[in-house]
Amino acid sequence: FDESERYAGEDDEDDEDLYGVVKSNNKKNRPLVRIGAMILVERDSQKGIVVGKGGQKIKDVGVEARGKLEEFFGVKVFLDLRVKVDKNWRNNKDKLKQFGYM
């Protein structure tokens, strides 16, 4: 990345970004990659499982993923993970196409 760049996929239903990558510089003018990702689940109970007690499960996933991403990009990474309930998304052909499953 030589210049600031952004990639994003939008959820047509409510115009939220499902993922995004932005390259920028931090306060010390060092390269920084910001990544936001939406984790979709079908039920509220699944959201609780993914997030974990006090957010610990998603934090653990984020820490591990951030380490791998920093190794891949060779720069510091800010990773923002969010969990969203989208009932029956796996049975929606348009959503499956949007996410690259079809």
Side-chain angles (χ1 to χ4, degrees):
F1 296 107
D2 288 8
E3 300 176 18
S4 292
E5 298 179 27
R6 176 178 171 83
Y7 304 94
E10 291 184 4
D11 181 355
D12 294 334
E13 187 174 311
D14 56 7
D15 293 332
E16 286 186 16
D17 286 344
L18 294 174
Y19 60 89
V21 177
V22 178
K23 186 268 180 187
S24 61
N25 291 320
N26 63 14
K27 291 179 183 178
K28 296 180 181 178
N29 206 26
R30 294 187 183 137
L32 174 70
V33 174
R34 297 175 186 266
I35 300 174
M38 184 76 64
I39 300 168
L40 293 177
V41 296
E42 289 190 314
R43 297 188 305 270
D44 289 322
S45 61
Q46 292 171 326
K47 182 176 179 177
I49 292 168
V50 172
V51 172
K53 186 175 183 179
Q56 190 61 49
K57 186 71 165 181
I58 196 156
K59 179 181 177 183
D60 293 344
V61 168
V63 167
E64 183 176 344
R66 187 176 65 241
K68 291 179 180 181
L69 289 165
E70 287 177 346
E71 184 178 322
F72 177 79
F73 286 113
V75 297
K76 287 287 187 185
V77 171
F78 174 81
L79 181 59
D80 179 22
L81 297 178
R82 299 181 184 233
V83 181
K84 177 181 175 182
V85 177
D86 189 350
K87 297 184 186 326
N88 296 316
W89 72 267
R90 294 186 311 161
N91 296 322
N92 182 322
K93 287 184 181 180
D94 291 333
K95 296 258 180 167
L96 291 173
K97 285 179 186 175
Q98 179 183 358
F99 304 145
Y101 290 110
M102 294 180 81

